[in-house]
Amino acid sequence: METKTKIALVTGGSRGLGKNSALKIAQKGLDVIITYRSNIEEAEAVVNEIKAMGRNAVAFQLDTKDRKSFDTFIKNVTSHLEESTGSSNIDYLINNAGTALYSPITEVTEEQVDDIIDIHFKGVFFLTQKLLPFINNGGGIVNISSGLARFATPGSSVYGSIKAGVEMLTKYMAKELGSRRIKANVVAPGAIETDFGGGRVRDNKEINEAVASATALGRVGLPDDIGGIVAFLCTDDAGWINGQRIEASGGVFL
Protein backbone atom coordinates (compact mmCIF):
# COMPACT_ATOMS: atom_id res chain seq x y z
CA MET A 1 0.00 0.00 0.00
CA GLU A 2 1.41 3.36 -1.04
CA THR A 3 2.01 5.82 1.81
CA LYS A 4 0.29 9.15 1.29
CA THR A 5 2.68 12.08 0.97
CA LYS A 6 2.37 14.44 3.91
CA ILE A 7 1.76 18.15 3.42
CA ALA A 8 3.06 21.12 5.39
CA LEU A 9 1.73 24.69 5.29
CA VAL A 10 4.35 27.35 6.02
CA THR A 11 3.15 30.92 6.54
CA GLY A 12 5.58 33.56 5.35
CA GLY A 13 7.39 30.92 3.30
CA SER A 14 8.58 33.18 0.50
CA ARG A 15 11.67 34.55 2.27
CA GLY A 16 14.00 34.24 5.24
CA LEU A 17 13.41 31.50 7.79
CA GLY A 18 10.08 30.54 6.25
CA LYS A 19 11.69 29.94 2.88
CA ASN A 20 14.50 27.92 4.42
CA SER A 21 12.01 25.88 6.43
CA ALA A 22 9.88 25.20 3.35
CA LEU A 23 12.91 23.98 1.38
CA LYS A 24 14.16 21.78 4.22
CA ILE A 25 10.67 20.32 4.72
CA ALA A 26 10.53 19.47 1.02
CA GLN A 27 13.93 17.76 1.34
CA LYS A 28 12.31 15.51 3.96
CA GLY A 29 9.87 14.31 1.30
CA LEU A 30 6.83 16.42 2.15
CA ASP A 31 4.78 18.52 -0.21
CA VAL A 32 4.62 22.19 0.77
CA ILE A 33 2.15 25.06 0.69
CA ILE A 34 3.64 28.48 1.37
CA THR A 35 2.05 31.85 1.93
CA TYR A 36 3.34 35.27 0.96
CA ARG A 37 2.03 38.69 1.92
CA SER A 38 2.91 40.82 -1.11
CA ASN A 39 5.79 39.50 -3.25
CA ILE A 40 4.41 36.82 -5.55
CA GLU A 41 7.67 36.63 -7.54
CA GLU A 42 9.63 35.59 -4.44
CA ALA A 43 6.96 33.05 -3.58
CA GLU A 44 6.91 31.53 -7.05
CA ALA A 45 10.71 31.24 -7.00
CA VAL A 46 10.45 29.15 -3.81
CA VAL A 47 7.67 27.04 -5.33
CA ASN A 48 9.82 26.35 -8.40
CA GLU A 49 12.80 25.44 -6.23
CA ILE A 50 10.68 22.91 -4.36
CA LYS A 51 9.22 21.50 -7.57
CA ALA A 52 12.77 21.05 -8.87
CA MET A 53 13.28 18.64 -5.95
CA GLY A 54 10.39 16.55 -7.24
CA ARG A 55 7.93 17.69 -4.59
CA ASN A 56 4.60 19.45 -5.06
CA ALA A 57 4.38 23.08 -4.00
CA VAL A 58 1.99 26.01 -4.31
CA ALA A 59 1.83 29.56 -2.95
CA PHE A 60 -1.19 31.49 -1.67
CA GLN A 61 -1.44 35.13 -0.66
CA LEU A 62 -2.12 35.69 3.06
CA ASP A 63 -1.78 38.62 5.43
CA THR A 64 -1.88 37.12 8.94
CA LYS A 65 -2.94 40.51 10.29
CA ASP A 66 -6.13 40.40 8.20
CA ARG A 67 -8.20 37.82 10.05
CA LYS A 68 -11.28 38.55 7.93
CA SER A 69 -9.40 36.99 5.00
CA PHE A 70 -8.73 33.66 6.75
CA ASP A 71 -11.96 31.93 5.68
CA THR A 72 -11.36 32.74 2.00
CA PHE A 73 -7.71 31.71 2.28
CA ILE A 74 -8.64 28.36 3.86
CA LYS A 75 -11.33 27.77 1.24
CA ASN A 76 -8.78 28.39 -1.52
CA VAL A 77 -6.22 26.06 0.07
CA THR A 78 -8.64 23.24 0.84
CA SER A 79 -10.23 23.44 -2.62
CA HIS A 80 -6.78 23.18 -4.20
CA LEU A 81 -5.91 20.21 -2.00
CA GLU A 82 -9.22 18.45 -2.67
CA GLU A 83 -8.65 18.83 -6.39
CA SER A 84 -4.98 17.81 -6.41
CA THR A 85 -4.88 15.13 -3.68
CA GLY A 86 -8.47 14.04 -3.08
CA SER A 87 -8.33 15.33 0.50
CA SER A 88 -8.70 18.86 1.89
CA ASN A 89 -6.31 18.17 4.77
CA ILE A 90 -2.73 19.05 5.66
CA ASP A 91 -0.43 17.41 8.20
CA TYR A 92 1.70 20.24 9.56
CA LEU A 93 1.15 23.93 10.14
CA ILE A 94 4.18 26.18 10.61
CA ASN A 95 3.17 29.59 11.97
CA ASN A 96 6.19 31.56 10.80
CA ALA A 97 4.91 34.79 9.21
CA GLY A 98 5.72 37.96 11.09
CA THR A 99 7.29 41.38 11.29
CA ALA A 100 9.73 42.97 13.69
CA LEU A 101 9.38 45.91 16.07
CA TYR A 102 12.38 47.65 17.63
CA SER A 103 11.37 50.54 19.88
CA PRO A 104 12.05 51.53 23.50
CA ILE A 105 9.10 51.30 25.90
CA THR A 106 9.01 55.08 26.16
CA GLU A 107 8.31 55.43 22.43
CA VAL A 108 6.05 52.47 21.59
CA THR A 109 2.63 53.47 20.29
CA GLU A 110 -0.65 51.68 20.87
CA GLU A 111 -0.92 51.11 17.12
CA GLN A 112 2.45 49.32 17.12
CA VAL A 113 1.36 47.09 19.99
CA ASP A 114 -1.91 46.28 18.22
CA ASP A 115 0.01 45.37 15.04
CA ILE A 116 2.32 42.93 16.83
CA ILE A 117 -0.57 41.34 18.74
CA ASP A 118 -2.63 41.04 15.54
CA ILE A 119 0.18 39.48 13.51
CA HIS A 120 2.03 37.39 16.06
CA PHE A 121 -0.68 36.34 18.50
CA LYS A 122 -4.19 36.74 17.13
CA GLY A 123 -3.02 35.74 13.67
CA VAL A 124 -1.39 32.57 14.99
CA PHE A 125 -4.30 31.78 17.30
CA PHE A 126 -7.15 32.21 14.85
CA LEU A 127 -5.44 30.81 11.76
CA THR A 128 -4.63 27.68 13.76
CA GLN A 129 -8.16 27.54 15.15
CA LYS A 130 -9.69 27.78 11.69
CA LEU A 131 -7.28 25.23 10.19
CA LEU A 132 -7.69 22.64 12.95
CA PRO A 133 -10.54 20.81 11.18
CA PHE A 134 -8.16 20.38 8.23
CA ILE A 135 -5.09 19.14 10.13
CA ASN A 136 -4.86 15.37 10.06
CA ASN A 137 -4.86 13.51 13.37
CA GLY A 138 -1.26 12.69 14.23
CA GLY A 139 -0.01 15.87 12.55
CA GLY A 140 1.73 18.82 14.13
CA ILE A 141 1.96 22.56 14.71
CA VAL A 142 5.25 24.46 14.86
CA ASN A 143 5.10 28.01 16.16
CA ILE A 144 8.08 30.29 15.61
CA SER A 145 9.09 32.33 18.65
CA SER A 146 12.35 34.09 19.48
CA GLY A 147 15.24 34.08 21.89
CA LEU A 148 13.78 37.45 22.94
CA ALA A 149 11.11 35.55 24.88
CA ARG A 150 13.89 34.22 27.16
CA PHE A 151 16.23 37.20 27.52
CA ALA A 152 15.56 40.92 27.43
CA THR A 153 17.23 43.14 24.84
CA PRO A 154 16.29 46.84 25.03
CA GLY A 155 13.87 47.79 22.27
CA SER A 156 12.12 44.43 21.97
CA SER A 157 9.66 44.65 24.87
CA VAL A 158 6.53 44.24 22.78
CA TYR A 159 7.85 41.62 20.35
CA GLY A 160 9.50 39.54 23.08
CA SER A 161 6.45 39.68 25.34
CA ILE A 162 4.05 38.60 22.61
CA LYS A 163 6.37 35.76 21.58
CA ALA A 164 6.37 34.64 25.23
CA GLY A 165 2.58 34.52 24.92
CA VAL A 166 2.89 32.35 21.81
CA GLU A 167 5.14 29.97 23.75
CA MET A 168 2.49 29.53 26.47
CA LEU A 169 -0.22 29.20 23.83
CA THR A 170 1.79 26.36 22.29
CA LYS A 171 1.64 24.41 25.56
CA TYR A 172 -2.12 24.83 25.61
CA MET A 173 -2.31 23.64 22.01
CA ALA A 174 -0.26 20.56 22.89
CA LYS A 175 -2.53 19.83 25.86
CA GLU A 176 -5.85 20.39 24.14
CA LEU A 177 -4.97 18.67 20.86
CA GLY A 178 -3.35 15.64 22.46
CA SER A 179 -6.51 13.56 22.01
CA ARG A 180 -6.01 13.96 18.26
CA ARG A 181 -2.29 13.11 18.57
CA ILE A 182 -1.45 16.55 17.15
CA LYS A 183 1.86 17.81 18.51
CA ALA A 184 2.57 21.49 19.12
CA ASN A 185 6.08 22.84 19.59
CA VAL A 186 8.01 26.09 19.49
CA VAL A 187 11.23 26.84 17.62
CA ALA A 188 12.89 29.96 19.02
CA PRO A 189 15.67 31.31 16.80
CA GLY A 190 18.33 33.64 18.09
CA ALA A 191 19.51 36.56 15.96
CA ILE A 192 19.61 35.47 12.31
CA GLU A 193 21.13 37.08 9.22
CA THR A 194 18.02 37.72 7.10
CA ASP A 195 16.13 40.77 5.87
CA PHE A 196 13.89 40.52 8.95
CA GLY A 197 13.58 43.86 10.73
CA GLY A 198 15.15 45.62 7.78
CA GLY A 199 18.15 43.29 7.84
CA ARG A 200 19.61 44.92 10.95
CA VAL A 201 21.38 41.77 12.25
CA ARG A 202 22.76 41.01 8.79
CA ASP A 203 23.75 44.54 7.77
CA ASN A 204 24.64 46.34 11.00
CA LYS A 205 28.24 45.38 11.75
CA GLU A 206 28.07 46.47 15.39
CA ILE A 207 24.91 44.45 16.12
CA ASN A 208 26.31 41.45 14.26
CA GLU A 209 29.58 41.52 16.22
CA ALA A 210 27.82 42.10 19.55
CA VAL A 211 25.55 39.07 19.03
CA ALA A 212 28.46 36.92 17.86
CA SER A 213 30.54 37.82 20.92
CA ALA A 214 27.64 36.86 23.23
CA THR A 215 27.11 33.51 21.47
CA ALA A 216 28.93 30.37 22.59
CA LEU A 217 29.47 29.24 18.99
CA GLY A 218 30.92 32.64 18.13
CA ARG A 219 28.73 33.83 15.25
CA VAL A 220 25.29 35.07 14.31
CA GLY A 221 22.77 32.53 13.06
CA LEU A 222 21.93 31.82 9.42
CA PRO A 223 18.62 30.59 7.94
CA ASP A 224 20.23 27.16 7.38
CA ASP A 225 20.61 26.88 11.17
CA ILE A 226 16.83 26.97 11.65
CA GLY A 227 15.01 25.39 8.70
CA GLY A 228 16.28 21.90 9.39
CA ILE A 229 14.95 22.00 12.96
CA VAL A 230 11.50 23.01 11.76
CA ALA A 231 11.66 20.26 9.13
CA PHE A 232 12.69 17.68 11.75
CA LEU A 233 9.56 18.52 13.75
CA CYS A 234 7.55 17.62 10.64
CA THR A 235 8.79 14.02 10.67
CA ASP A 236 7.90 10.84 12.54
CA ASP A 237 11.32 10.96 14.21
CA ALA A 238 10.05 13.94 16.22
CA GLY A 239 6.75 12.26 17.06
CA TRP A 240 7.36 12.15 20.82
CA ILE A 241 8.38 15.81 21.11
CA ASN A 242 5.37 17.78 22.30
CA GLY A 243 4.76 21.06 24.10
CA GLN A 244 8.45 21.94 23.94
CA ARG A 245 10.44 25.09 23.28
CA ILE A 246 13.53 24.44 21.18
CA GLU A 247 15.85 27.43 21.13
CA ALA A 248 18.23 27.50 18.18
CA SER A 249 20.59 30.35 18.96
CA GLY A 250 24.07 28.87 19.05
CA GLY A 251 24.07 29.38 22.80
CA VAL A 252 23.52 33.13 23.10
CA PHE A 253 23.45 34.68 26.60
CA LEU A 254 23.96 31.35 28.36
Side-chain angles (χ1 to χ4, degrees), residues 2-3 8 19 21 54 69 72 80 82 85 91 101 103 106 108 127 131 146 159 161 173 178 193 208 216 237-238 241:
E2 190 178 344
T3 306
K19 172 184 175 180
S21 297
S69 72
T72 301
H80 165 81
E82 187 75 50
T85 72
D91 297 281
L101 171 62
S103 183
T106 52
V108 171
L127 184 64
L131 277 169
S146 169
Y159 183 82
S161 298
M173 287 178 176
E193 288 189 8
N208 196 296
D237 286 341
I241 299 175

Side-chain angles (χ1 to χ4, degrees), residues 198-210 220:
R200 69 202 299 265
V201 172
R202 179 191 61 202
D203 302 334
N204 186 311
K205 191 167 181 285
E206 286 183 7
I207 292 175
N208 196 296
E209 289 177 352
V220 169

Side-chain angles (χ1 to χ4, degrees), residues 190-193 201 207-226 229 248-253:
I192 308 290
E193 288 189 8
V201 172
I207 292 175
N208 196 296
E209 289 177 352
V211 171
S213 68
T215 303
L217 293 180
R219 65 170 174 82
V220 169
L222 301 169
D224 267 343
D225 296 321
I226 308 300
I229 298 164
S249 65
V252 70
F253 299 134

Side-chain angles (χ1 to χ4, degrees), residues 14 45 61 75 83-84 98 134 163 185 220 231 252 254:
S14 62
Q61 195 278 332
K75 185 178 178 183
E83 193 176 311
S84 58
F134 304 103
K163 285 299 193 184
N185 293 289
V220 169
V252 70
L254 293 177

Side-chain angles (χ1 to χ4, degrees), residues 43-57:
E44 289 298 338
V46 177
V47 165
N48 290 335
E49 204 169 334
I50 292 170
K51 285 180 174 177
M53 299 179 196
R55 302 264 42 100
N56 293 320

